[in-house]
């Protein structure tokens, strides 16, 4: 019986891209996120794994990518996470609309969605990103690049949207096995909220008659929820297994440990620990500046570097 599983917010969202340089340019220069880690997909080391977030890459601020050169375009549909939302200060939404228009980004006009105002845009691969005017978000964001003023900077993840053929089986996992609370119902679906964190706690589930989505460039690979530490994660894993969920072993991701499983609609979920974080292998001021490999891949560094495309990254911030 599941008794204690209760993730306390979104940890990160991982998506698929096609061109790594185009990905870096968009998320650092257009959206102003910090590239906090340049590493590889540990399961496929010939591919980058790029992490973007706030100044230190704190959990709840992270969007990460597997950029596979030549990857085909995916297709949104059921069984996928179809939108990733970031929080921005309410007064900045008009500023963002003008900025995106000036830069030629594919974006819609802001619209009201429940109690929130949302600006929806698409990255160069077609991944749907939403900027949500969110009052009272205390996260500081990252204002180190892209000429984005502090009072407009993205604060961190706000929510994710999962599109499902059937709402009830997914809802039963979220509020029955994962300890989320049934929040607001809208004409588009249902919101579930995690407790224990002030921001980045919402999961929206949208029922749809669309065809099943195709996971490739421009789609989300998985979403990750936060566990405070490894001991708690291990306990949650055993409880999920006892409830009949097929869960992976605990995997070392260098900057956190992870377990993976699927919800009934097919979306891949992860529970990741908050620690040890991104400064475990490079100083705070140098985050994202160098290719970092876990110890078990370090002996193959030369071979791995030779297979990866060259990448220009924003310069490190100046101290002081």
């Amino acid at each position: 019986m599941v008794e204690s599983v209760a993730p306390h917010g979104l940890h990160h969202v991982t998506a698929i891209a096609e061109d790594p340089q185009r990905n870096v340019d968009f998320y650092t220069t257009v959206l102003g996120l910090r590239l906090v880690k340049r590493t590889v997909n540990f399961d496929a080391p010939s591919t980058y794994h790029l992490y973007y977030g706030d100044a230190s890459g704190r959990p709840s601020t992270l969007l990460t990518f597997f950029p596979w050169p030549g990857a085909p375009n995916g297709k949104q549909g059921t069984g996928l996470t179809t939108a990733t939302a970031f929080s921005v200060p309410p007064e900045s939404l008009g500023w963002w609309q003008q900025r995106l228009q000036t830069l030629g980004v594919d974006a819609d006009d802001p619209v009201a969605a429940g109690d929130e105002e949302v600006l929806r845009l698409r990255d160069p691969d077609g991944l749907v990103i939403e900027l949500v005017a969110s009052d009272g978000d205390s996260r500081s964001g990252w204002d180190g690049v892209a000429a984005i003023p502090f009072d407009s900077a993205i604060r961190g993840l706000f929510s994710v949207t999962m599109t499902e053929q059937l709402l009830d089986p997914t809802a039963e996992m979220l509020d029955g096995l994962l300890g989320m609370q049934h929040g607001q119902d809208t004409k588009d679906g249902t919101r579930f909220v995690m407790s224990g964190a002030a921001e980045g706690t919402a999961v929206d589930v949208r029922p749809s008659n669309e065809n099943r989505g195709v996971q490739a460039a421009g789609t989300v690979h998985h979403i990750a929820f936060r566990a405070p530490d490894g001991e708690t994660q291990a306990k949650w894993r055993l409880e999920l297994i006892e409830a009949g969920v097929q869960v992976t072993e605990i995997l070392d991701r260098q900057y956190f440990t992870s377990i993976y499983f699927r919800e009934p609609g097919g979306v891949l979920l992860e529970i990741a620990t908050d620690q040890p974080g991104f400064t475990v292998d490079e100083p705070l001021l140098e985050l994202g500046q160098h290719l970092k490999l876990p110890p078990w891949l370090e002996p193959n560094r030369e071979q791995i570097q030779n297979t990866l495309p060259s990448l220009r990254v924003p310069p490190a911030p100046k101290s002081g």
Side-chain angles (χ1 to χ4, degrees), residues 2-197:
V2 173
E3 297 179 347
S4 66
V5 181
H8 55 261
L10 293 164
H11 187 283
H12 66 269
V13 175
T14 294
I16 303 170
E18 192 272 331
D19 182 86
Q21 187 64 62
R22 185 174 65 181
N23 186 260
V24 168
D25 292 344
F26 183 82
Y27 284 95
T28 61
T29 303
V30 176
L31 293 190
L33 300 178
R34 184 179 187 185
L35 178 66
V36 293
K37 192 62 62 177
R38 183 181 3 160
T39 184
V40 295
N41 182 332
F42 293 173
D43 302 314
S46 61
T47 301
Y48 282 115
H49 192 176
L50 305 174
Y51 290 78
Y52 305 93
D54 69 358
S56 60
R58 290 178 297 175
S60 87
T61 72
L62 296 163
L63 177 60
T64 92
F65 285 89
F66 301 136
W68 274 293
N73 290 331
K75 185 177 181 181
Q76 299 284 13
T78 58
L80 292 180
T81 299
T82 51
T84 300
F86 284 102
S87 167
V88 297
E91 64 277 5
S92 72
L93 211 58
W95 183 91
W96 276 106
Q97 183 182 17
Q98 180 61 47
R99 174 178 176 80
L100 296 173
Q101 182 179 5
T102 300
L103 295 175
V105 175
D106 181 10
D108 303 332
D109 293 333
V111 297
D115 297 332
E116 297 137 11
E117 191 173 11
V118 179
L119 190 164
R120 173 173 286 199
L121 62 110
R122 284 151 290 274
D123 81 357
D125 291 295
L127 185 74
V128 176
I129 299 292
E130 295 176 339
L131 302 181
V132 178
S134 177
D135 196 14
D137 191 332
S138 62
R139 293 172 293 183
S140 59
W142 167 242
D143 63 344
V145 295
I148 295 174
F150 174 77
D151 59 5
S152 296
I154 288 173
R155 297 316 197 214
L157 292 171
F158 179 86
S159 67
V160 291
T161 300
M162 296 161 53
T163 298
E164 306 283 10
Q165 291 180 341
L166 299 173
L167 173 61
D168 288 348
T170 298
E172 289 173 5
M173 172 170 275
L174 296 183
D175 66 10
L177 295 181
L178 297 181
M180 300 185 193
Q181 300 171 358
H182 189 136
Q184 183 181 28
D185 289 318
T186 69
K187 62 182 179 63
D188 295 321
T190 298
R191 171 163 291 179
F192 297 86
V193 181
M194 292 167 274
S195 60

